Short mmCIF file of all heavy atoms in Angstrom, two decimals:
data_model
loop_
_atom_site.label_atom_id
_atom_site.label_comp_id
_atom_site.label_asym_id
_atom_site.label_seq_id
_atom_site.Cartn_x
_atom_site.Cartn_y
_atom_site.Cartn_z
N MET A 26 94.85 74.00 98.89
CA MET A 26 94.52 73.47 100.21
C MET A 26 95.03 72.04 100.38
O MET A 26 95.43 71.64 101.48
CB MET A 26 93.01 73.54 100.44
CG MET A 26 92.49 74.96 100.64
SD MET A 26 90.69 75.10 100.75
CE MET A 26 90.33 74.17 102.23
N GLU A 27 95.02 71.25 99.29
CA GLU A 27 95.50 69.87 99.36
C GLU A 27 96.98 69.80 99.71
O GLU A 27 97.45 68.81 100.28
CB GLU A 27 95.23 69.16 98.03
CG GLU A 27 93.76 68.85 97.80
CD GLU A 27 93.49 68.37 96.37
OE1 GLU A 27 94.47 68.28 95.58
OE2 GLU A 27 92.31 68.12 96.05
N LYS A 28 97.71 70.86 99.38
CA LYS A 28 99.15 70.88 99.65
C LYS A 28 99.46 71.25 101.11
O LYS A 28 100.59 71.06 101.56
CB LYS A 28 99.84 71.88 98.72
CG LYS A 28 99.78 71.47 97.25
CD LYS A 28 100.42 72.54 96.37
CE LYS A 28 100.34 72.15 94.89
NZ LYS A 28 100.92 73.19 94.01
N LYS A 29 98.48 71.77 101.82
CA LYS A 29 98.69 72.18 103.21
C LYS A 29 97.56 71.65 104.09
O LYS A 29 96.83 72.41 104.72
CB LYS A 29 98.78 73.71 103.31
CG LYS A 29 100.00 74.31 102.60
CD LYS A 29 100.09 75.79 102.82
CE LYS A 29 101.29 76.38 102.10
NZ LYS A 29 102.56 75.95 102.70
N PRO A 30 97.40 70.33 104.13
CA PRO A 30 96.26 69.76 104.89
C PRO A 30 96.31 70.06 106.38
O PRO A 30 95.27 70.07 107.04
CB PRO A 30 96.40 68.26 104.62
CG PRO A 30 97.84 68.06 104.29
CD PRO A 30 98.26 69.29 103.56
N GLU A 31 97.52 70.33 106.91
CA GLU A 31 97.63 70.58 108.34
C GLU A 31 96.88 71.84 108.78
O GLU A 31 96.52 71.97 109.96
CB GLU A 31 99.11 70.70 108.74
CG GLU A 31 99.85 71.91 108.20
CD GLU A 31 100.34 71.76 106.76
OE1 GLU A 31 100.03 70.72 106.14
OE2 GLU A 31 101.05 72.67 106.29
N LEU A 32 96.63 72.76 107.85
CA LEU A 32 95.92 74.00 108.20
C LEU A 32 94.43 73.76 108.44
O LEU A 32 93.76 74.61 109.04
CB LEU A 32 96.09 75.04 107.09
CG LEU A 32 97.49 75.61 106.87
CD1 LEU A 32 97.50 76.56 105.67
CD2 LEU A 32 97.97 76.34 108.12
N PHE A 33 93.93 72.62 107.99
CA PHE A 33 92.48 72.42 107.98
C PHE A 33 92.05 71.18 108.77
O PHE A 33 90.94 70.69 108.60
CB PHE A 33 92.00 72.31 106.53
CG PHE A 33 92.57 73.36 105.64
CD1 PHE A 33 93.60 73.05 104.75
CD2 PHE A 33 92.15 74.68 105.73
CE1 PHE A 33 94.16 74.03 103.95
CE2 PHE A 33 92.71 75.66 104.93
CZ PHE A 33 93.72 75.33 104.04
N GLU A 34 92.94 70.71 109.63
CA GLU A 34 92.64 69.48 110.38
C GLU A 34 91.41 69.62 111.26
O GLU A 34 90.71 68.64 111.52
CB GLU A 34 93.85 69.11 111.24
CG GLU A 34 95.06 68.64 110.44
CD GLU A 34 96.26 68.38 111.31
OE1 GLU A 34 96.21 68.75 112.51
OE2 GLU A 34 97.26 67.83 110.81
N ASN A 35 91.15 70.82 111.75
CA ASN A 35 90.03 71.03 112.67
C ASN A 35 88.73 71.44 111.98
O ASN A 35 87.74 71.75 112.64
CB ASN A 35 90.40 72.09 113.71
CG ASN A 35 91.56 71.65 114.58
OD1 ASN A 35 91.67 70.48 114.93
ND2 ASN A 35 92.45 72.58 114.93
N LEU A 36 88.73 71.46 110.65
CA LEU A 36 87.54 71.87 109.90
C LEU A 36 86.80 70.64 109.39
O LEU A 36 87.40 69.73 108.80
CB LEU A 36 87.92 72.76 108.72
CG LEU A 36 88.66 74.07 109.02
CD1 LEU A 36 88.81 74.88 107.74
CD2 LEU A 36 87.93 74.87 110.08
N ASP A 37 85.48 70.61 109.59
CA ASP A 37 84.69 69.52 109.01
C ASP A 37 84.51 69.77 107.51
O ASP A 37 84.87 70.82 106.98
CB ASP A 37 83.35 69.36 109.73
CG ASP A 37 82.46 70.60 109.65
OD1 ASP A 37 82.57 71.37 108.67
OD2 ASP A 37 81.66 70.81 110.58
N GLU A 38 83.94 68.81 106.84
CA GLU A 38 83.84 68.88 105.38
C GLU A 38 82.99 70.06 104.93
O GLU A 38 83.31 70.74 103.94
CB GLU A 38 83.24 67.58 104.84
CG GLU A 38 83.27 67.48 103.31
CD GLU A 38 84.67 67.61 102.73
OE1 GLU A 38 85.63 67.14 103.36
OE2 GLU A 38 84.80 68.20 101.62
N LYS A 39 81.91 70.36 105.64
CA LYS A 39 81.05 71.48 105.27
C LYS A 39 81.82 72.80 105.37
O LYS A 39 81.75 73.65 104.49
CB LYS A 39 79.82 71.51 106.18
CG LYS A 39 78.84 72.65 105.89
CD LYS A 39 77.60 72.52 106.77
CE LYS A 39 76.57 73.60 106.48
NZ LYS A 39 77.05 74.94 106.88
N LYS A 40 82.58 72.96 106.46
CA LYS A 40 83.34 74.18 106.66
C LYS A 40 84.43 74.33 105.59
O LYS A 40 84.71 75.42 105.11
CB LYS A 40 83.98 74.17 108.05
CG LYS A 40 84.54 75.51 108.50
CD LYS A 40 83.44 76.47 108.90
CE LYS A 40 83.98 77.69 109.59
NZ LYS A 40 82.94 78.62 110.03
N ARG A 41 85.03 73.21 105.19
CA ARG A 41 86.06 73.26 104.14
C ARG A 41 85.45 73.72 102.82
O ARG A 41 86.06 74.50 102.09
CB ARG A 41 86.72 71.90 103.98
CG ARG A 41 87.58 71.49 105.16
CD ARG A 41 88.36 70.23 104.85
NE ARG A 41 89.00 69.70 106.05
CZ ARG A 41 90.01 68.85 106.05
NH1 ARG A 41 90.50 68.43 104.90
NH2 ARG A 41 90.53 68.42 107.18
N ARG A 42 84.28 73.19 102.51
CA ARG A 42 83.61 73.61 101.26
C ARG A 42 83.30 75.10 101.28
O ARG A 42 83.48 75.80 100.27
CB ARG A 42 82.33 72.80 101.04
CG ARG A 42 82.55 71.35 100.64
CD ARG A 42 81.28 70.75 100.04
NE ARG A 42 80.13 70.90 100.92
CZ ARG A 42 79.77 70.00 101.83
NH1 ARG A 42 80.49 68.89 102.00
NH2 ARG A 42 78.69 70.18 102.57
N GLU A 43 82.84 75.57 102.42
CA GLU A 43 82.53 77.00 102.55
C GLU A 43 83.78 77.85 102.40
O GLU A 43 83.76 78.89 101.74
CB GLU A 43 81.87 77.27 103.91
CG GLU A 43 80.47 76.69 104.04
CD GLU A 43 79.91 76.85 105.44
OE1 GLU A 43 80.70 77.16 106.37
OE2 GLU A 43 78.70 76.67 105.62
N LEU A 44 84.89 77.38 102.99
CA LEU A 44 86.15 78.12 102.88
C LEU A 44 86.62 78.16 101.43
O LEU A 44 87.10 79.20 100.95
CB LEU A 44 87.20 77.49 103.78
CG LEU A 44 88.61 78.10 103.70
CD1 LEU A 44 88.58 79.58 104.05
CD2 LEU A 44 89.57 77.35 104.63
N VAL A 45 86.51 77.05 100.72
CA VAL A 45 86.88 77.02 99.30
C VAL A 45 86.10 78.08 98.53
O VAL A 45 86.67 78.85 97.75
CB VAL A 45 86.64 75.62 98.69
CG1 VAL A 45 86.73 75.68 97.16
CG2 VAL A 45 87.65 74.62 99.22
N SER A 46 84.80 78.14 98.75
CA SER A 46 83.97 79.11 98.03
C SER A 46 84.30 80.54 98.43
O SER A 46 84.34 81.43 97.58
CB SER A 46 82.49 78.81 98.30
OG SER A 46 82.13 77.54 97.79
N PHE A 47 84.55 80.74 99.71
CA PHE A 47 84.92 82.07 100.20
C PHE A 47 86.21 82.56 99.53
O PHE A 47 86.29 83.69 99.04
CB PHE A 47 85.09 81.99 101.72
CG PHE A 47 85.66 83.22 102.36
CD1 PHE A 47 84.88 84.35 102.56
CD2 PHE A 47 86.98 83.25 102.82
CE1 PHE A 47 85.39 85.49 103.19
CE2 PHE A 47 87.50 84.37 103.45
CZ PHE A 47 86.71 85.50 103.62
N LEU A 48 87.23 81.71 99.50
CA LEU A 48 88.50 82.10 98.88
C LEU A 48 88.36 82.21 97.36
O LEU A 48 89.04 83.03 96.73
CB LEU A 48 89.59 81.10 99.25
CG LEU A 48 89.98 81.09 100.74
CD1 LEU A 48 91.01 80.01 101.02
CD2 LEU A 48 90.51 82.45 101.18
N ALA A 49 87.49 81.40 96.78
CA ALA A 49 87.24 81.52 95.33
C ALA A 49 86.61 82.87 95.00
O ALA A 49 86.93 83.48 93.97
CB ALA A 49 86.34 80.37 94.87
N MET A 50 85.72 83.35 95.87
CA MET A 50 85.15 84.69 95.68
C MET A 50 86.27 85.74 95.72
O MET A 50 86.27 86.71 94.96
CB MET A 50 84.10 84.98 96.75
CG MET A 50 82.87 84.10 96.66
SD MET A 50 81.78 84.27 98.08
CE MET A 50 80.84 85.72 97.62
N GLY A 51 87.25 85.52 96.60
CA GLY A 51 88.39 86.43 96.67
C GLY A 51 89.22 86.40 95.41
O GLY A 51 89.75 87.44 94.97
N ALA A 52 89.36 85.22 94.80
CA ALA A 52 90.11 85.11 93.55
C ALA A 52 89.41 85.88 92.44
O ALA A 52 90.05 86.54 91.60
CB ALA A 52 90.26 83.64 93.16
N ASN A 53 88.10 85.82 92.41
CA ASN A 53 87.34 86.59 91.42
C ASN A 53 87.48 88.09 91.67
O ASN A 53 87.61 88.87 90.71
CB ASN A 53 85.86 86.19 91.47
CG ASN A 53 84.98 87.09 90.64
OD1 ASN A 53 84.37 88.03 91.16
ND2 ASN A 53 84.92 86.84 89.34
N ILE A 54 87.49 88.50 92.93
CA ILE A 54 87.72 89.92 93.25
C ILE A 54 89.07 90.35 92.72
O ILE A 54 89.20 91.41 92.09
CB ILE A 54 87.64 90.15 94.78
CG1 ILE A 54 86.21 89.97 95.29
CG2 ILE A 54 88.15 91.55 95.14
CD1 ILE A 54 86.09 89.94 96.80
N ASP A 55 90.10 89.53 92.96
CA ASP A 55 91.44 89.89 92.50
C ASP A 55 91.49 90.01 90.98
O ASP A 55 92.12 90.93 90.44
CB ASP A 55 92.45 88.85 92.98
CG ASP A 55 93.87 89.25 92.65
OD1 ASP A 55 94.41 90.13 93.35
OD2 ASP A 55 94.43 88.73 91.66
N GLU A 56 90.84 89.11 90.29
CA GLU A 56 90.79 89.19 88.83
C GLU A 56 90.16 90.50 88.37
O GLU A 56 90.65 91.15 87.44
CB GLU A 56 90.00 88.00 88.28
CG GLU A 56 89.90 87.94 86.77
CD GLU A 56 89.13 86.71 86.33
OE1 GLU A 56 89.72 85.63 86.26
OE2 GLU A 56 87.91 86.85 86.06
N ASN A 57 89.12 90.91 89.03
CA ASN A 57 88.47 92.17 88.68
C ASN A 57 89.33 93.38 89.05
O ASN A 57 89.30 94.39 88.35
CB ASN A 57 87.10 92.26 89.36
CG ASN A 57 86.02 91.56 88.57
OD1 ASN A 57 85.56 92.05 87.55
ND2 ASN A 57 85.63 90.38 89.02
N MET A 58 90.08 93.26 90.12
CA MET A 58 91.02 94.34 90.45
C MET A 58 92.05 94.49 89.33
O MET A 58 92.44 95.61 88.98
CB MET A 58 91.71 94.05 91.78
CG MET A 58 90.88 94.35 93.00
SD MET A 58 90.46 96.12 93.17
CE MET A 58 92.10 96.84 93.36
N GLY A 59 92.51 93.38 88.77
CA GLY A 59 93.42 93.45 87.64
C GLY A 59 92.80 94.14 86.45
O GLY A 59 93.44 94.96 85.76
N LYS A 60 91.53 93.85 86.20
CA LYS A 60 90.81 94.49 85.10
C LYS A 60 90.74 96.01 85.32
O LYS A 60 90.96 96.80 84.39
CB LYS A 60 89.40 93.89 85.02
CG LYS A 60 88.57 94.33 83.83
CD LYS A 60 87.10 93.95 83.96
CE LYS A 60 86.86 92.59 84.53
NZ LYS A 60 85.44 92.26 84.64
N LEU A 61 90.47 96.41 86.55
CA LEU A 61 90.38 97.84 86.86
C LEU A 61 91.73 98.52 86.70
O LEU A 61 91.83 99.59 86.08
CB LEU A 61 89.86 98.02 88.29
CG LEU A 61 89.88 99.44 88.84
CD1 LEU A 61 88.92 100.34 88.06
CD2 LEU A 61 89.53 99.46 90.33
N LEU A 62 92.78 97.93 87.26
CA LEU A 62 94.11 98.55 87.18
C LEU A 62 94.59 98.62 85.73
O LEU A 62 95.21 99.61 85.32
CB LEU A 62 95.09 97.76 88.04
CG LEU A 62 94.82 97.78 89.54
CD1 LEU A 62 95.78 96.86 90.28
CD2 LEU A 62 94.89 99.20 90.11
N ASP A 63 94.30 97.59 84.94
CA ASP A 63 94.67 97.62 83.52
C ASP A 63 93.92 98.73 82.79
O ASP A 63 94.50 99.43 81.94
CB ASP A 63 94.37 96.28 82.87
CG ASP A 63 95.33 95.19 83.31
OD1 ASP A 63 96.38 95.51 83.90
OD2 ASP A 63 95.03 94.00 83.07
N PHE A 64 92.65 98.89 83.11
CA PHE A 64 91.87 99.97 82.49
C PHE A 64 92.49 101.33 82.80
O PHE A 64 92.63 102.18 81.92
CB PHE A 64 90.42 99.92 82.98
CG PHE A 64 89.68 101.22 82.86
CD1 PHE A 64 89.34 101.73 81.61
CD2 PHE A 64 89.34 101.95 83.99
CE1 PHE A 64 88.67 102.95 81.49
CE2 PHE A 64 88.68 103.16 83.89
CZ PHE A 64 88.33 103.66 82.63
N LEU A 65 92.86 101.54 84.05
CA LEU A 65 93.45 102.83 84.42
C LEU A 65 94.78 103.04 83.70
O LEU A 65 95.07 104.15 83.22
CB LEU A 65 93.65 102.88 85.94
CG LEU A 65 92.37 102.88 86.78
CD1 LEU A 65 92.72 102.80 88.26
CD2 LEU A 65 91.51 104.10 86.50
N ASP A 66 95.59 101.99 83.60
CA ASP A 66 96.87 102.11 82.90
C ASP A 66 96.67 102.41 81.42
O ASP A 66 97.29 103.31 80.86
CB ASP A 66 97.68 100.82 83.06
CG ASP A 66 98.24 100.64 84.46
OD1 ASP A 66 98.24 101.62 85.23
OD2 ASP A 66 98.65 99.51 84.79
#
């Protein structure tokens, strides 16, 4: 997010923190998807 500050100019600090956590949850989902696909392989 620090590399693309223009995307978040209209977000207050609270909203930015929430977005970070939301996308972090997505990163954890993706990691688990990798675990599942590796298991199937």
Side-chain angles (χ1 to χ4, degrees):
M26 289 174 64
E27 288 170 1
K28 294 177 181 178
K29 295 184 180 292
E31 68 279 5
L32 293 176
F33 314 104
E34 291 176 350
N35 297 323
L36 300 186
D37 61 28
E38 188 57 35
K39 180 175 182 292
K40 193 75 169 181
R41 291 188 190 199
R42 287 197 306 269
E43 291 174 346
L44 176 58
V45 167
S46 296
F47 172 76
L48 293 177
M50 294 170 83
N53 171 264
I54 291 169
D55 186 76
E56 181 178 278
N57 276 285
M58 282 296 297
K60 187 193 319 180
L61 172 65
L62 295 174
D63 288 346
F64 158 69
L65 294 174
D66 288 346

